[in-house]
Amino acid sequence: MINQHYRELQDSYLFSTIARKVSAFQSSADLRQKPLIRMGIGDVTHPLCPAVVAAMKEAVEEMGRKETFRGYGPEQGYDFLRDAVRQYYAGRGVLLNAEELFISDGAKSDVGNILDLFEPNLTVCIPDPVYPVYVDTNTMDGRSIVYLDANEENGFLPLPDQRVKAGLIYLCSPNNPTGAVYSRDQLKQWVDYANGCGAVILFDAAYEAFIHDSALPRSIFEIEGARTCAVEFCSLSKTAGFTGTRCGYTVVPDELEREGLSINRMWLRRQTTKFNGVSYVVQRGAEAVFTPEGQRQTSETIAYYRENARIMAQALAAMGVSFTGGAHSPYIWLKCPDGLDSWSYFDRLLREAHVVGTPGVGFGRNGEGFFRLTAFGTREDTEEAMRRMQNC
Ligand code: MLT
């Protein structure tokens, strides 16, 4: 009667486990002198920018007037937002048709929901370590997973293994959790491999806004050949502080077909059946992110988080801790000091420094002995966390 594959899942989702542990610690420890600093889940601390707030307020007013009220919207998003996102891509030389863009409530949902389109007996290639949603959603469907080892030797950027016949491939760049970013040449290898074996790449670009080197690709569609083998997921969560507001977008190119079926038409069919779209007010807010004013304001916030990452990198280097990430990503991926395993370091940092991070092993077997810190905190918390880590 029930889906037996749920038995194969870990007891709870990584960030729920951490939240539970932290709340148990909070109720047992004295935090008055040293309040807790959260650098675990990649949740932002800066509020929505003024351009977004103004647009959402106006949209609320519209919804409260008979003449401008709107009911159900198009499941795939309003044209005004799809056009704004298309312009954003066009700015980087990526030309998309309107029907290739689907507005979503964030990358996480679509990354999981896209699996409705694929049969359960496909081989899925998933980097290890990586965002746990890819593994969990495929485990729920009972797919067999081939792990792509990401480690210090390959700079946490695994490349195709020609011996594996992949059906689906997950790539996340800039990577969550390691902060590693694929180069154009490396992504081209993946695109050629996928086109060669008929696989579909599910490309998670949620952290693209943190790339500050024009030589690095921010979208897989900057790579020739990607339109016949890739779907891209992106989100405004980390770009514009939408973690609590919820809005993202998914690009499914017209040319992407498998077994005579258009993946784009299948996704449209799936979305119109199972999803009623993102609210009008939120879509107006999202549209404002792509205005010149919104772009200026959101890039100021990203610069603030990048400065946090720089401060963290500097402090860790001074402590002699080895790490990657932070340059084109809000995440710093560090090697646990004193040979500790990930959870022991989590416990120690929580107990001694009252700092919450994410144990690397929560992102996969290869994450054992590593630890992830986010740069999404306030400046004060970031500096204080580094001081406490230095002290302990
Ligand atoms: C993370 O901390 O890995 C992310 O915030 C999770 C997410 O984006 O869902």
Side-chain angles (χ1 to χ4, degrees), residues 13 15 40-43 108 131 176 207 238 331 363 372 374:
Y13 181 57
F15 295 106
I41 190 164
D43 200 0
K108 183 183 190 175
Y131 184 39
N176 177 11
Y207 301 93
K238 320 292 157 106
Y331 296 127
F363 298 97
R372 194 194 75 175
T374 94

Side-chain angles (χ1 to χ4, degrees), residues 156-382:
F156 296 100
L157 294 167
L159 290 171
D161 177 347
Q162 302 296 338
R163 292 165 303 181
V164 177
K165 166 109 182 60
L168 293 175
I169 301 159
Y170 286 81
L171 298 178
C172 177
S173 178
N175 185 268
N176 177 11
T178 68
V181 188
Y182 277 112
S183 69
R184 279 174 210 280
D185 283 353
Q186 289 169 324
L187 276 192
K188 179 72 176 135
Q189 290 183 50
W190 275 114
V191 164
D192 289 347
Y193 165 79
N195 278 323
C197 67
V200 173
I201 296 174
L202 303 176
F203 189 80
D204 187 344
Y207 301 93
E208 59 84 20
F210 287 83
I211 294 181
H212 279 259
D213 176 351
S214 55
L216 294 170
R218 290 168 66 164
S219 161
I220 193 147
F221 297 114
E222 292 176 42
I223 309 300
E224 199 199 327
R227 290 181 58 86
T228 49
C229 67
V231 173
E232 179 161 296
F233 305 88
C234 202
S235 156
L236 295 183
S237 286
K238 320 292 157 106
T239 306
F242 271 55
T243 49
T245 306
R246 310 306 311 151
C247 195
Y249 45 91
T250 295
V251 180
V252 191
D254 285 335
E255 288 94 319
L256 182 59
E257 283 184 8
R258 290 295 176 269
E259 296 162 23
L261 278 179
S262 155
I263 303 291
N264 178 292
R265 303 312 293 170
M266 287 174 76
W267 182 241
L268 179 68
R269 187 70 178 82
R270 192 262 174 218
Q271 290 299 80
T272 47
T273 307
K274 294 196 182 182
F275 184 52
N276 259 336
V278 176
S279 80
Y280 174 71
V281 174
V282 168
Q283 290 195 58
R284 280 294 184 200
E287 179 193 24
V289 171
F290 298 98
T291 60
E293 204 188 1
Q295 287 291 288
R296 189 180 46 74
Q297 293 168 355
T298 50
S299 47
E300 275 168 17
T301 306
I302 289 171
Y304 177 96
Y305 294 139
R306 291 184 76 234
E307 175 60 11
N308 281 350
R310 194 197 59 76
I311 291 167
M312 290 157 71
Q314 197 177 35
L316 291 170
M319 286 181 243
V321 173
S322 83
F323 66 91
T324 58
H328 300 288
S329 141
Y331 296 127
I332 298 245
W333 180 247
L334 59 101
K335 220 167 181 168
C336 302
D338 306 331
L340 288 177
D341 66 62
S342 300
W343 278 109
S344 303
Y345 187 55
F346 172 90
D347 289 334
R348 176 164 149 193
L349 211 55
L350 185 59
R351 210 176 43 242
E352 294 180 14
H354 297 182
V355 170
V356 183
T358 309
V361 72
F363 298 97
R365 193 176 47 90
N366 288 332
E368 182 56 284
F370 288 88
F371 201 73
R372 194 194 75 175
L373 292 174
T374 94
F376 285 124
T378 62
R379 181 65 38 77
E380 304 69 47
D381 277 357
T382 304

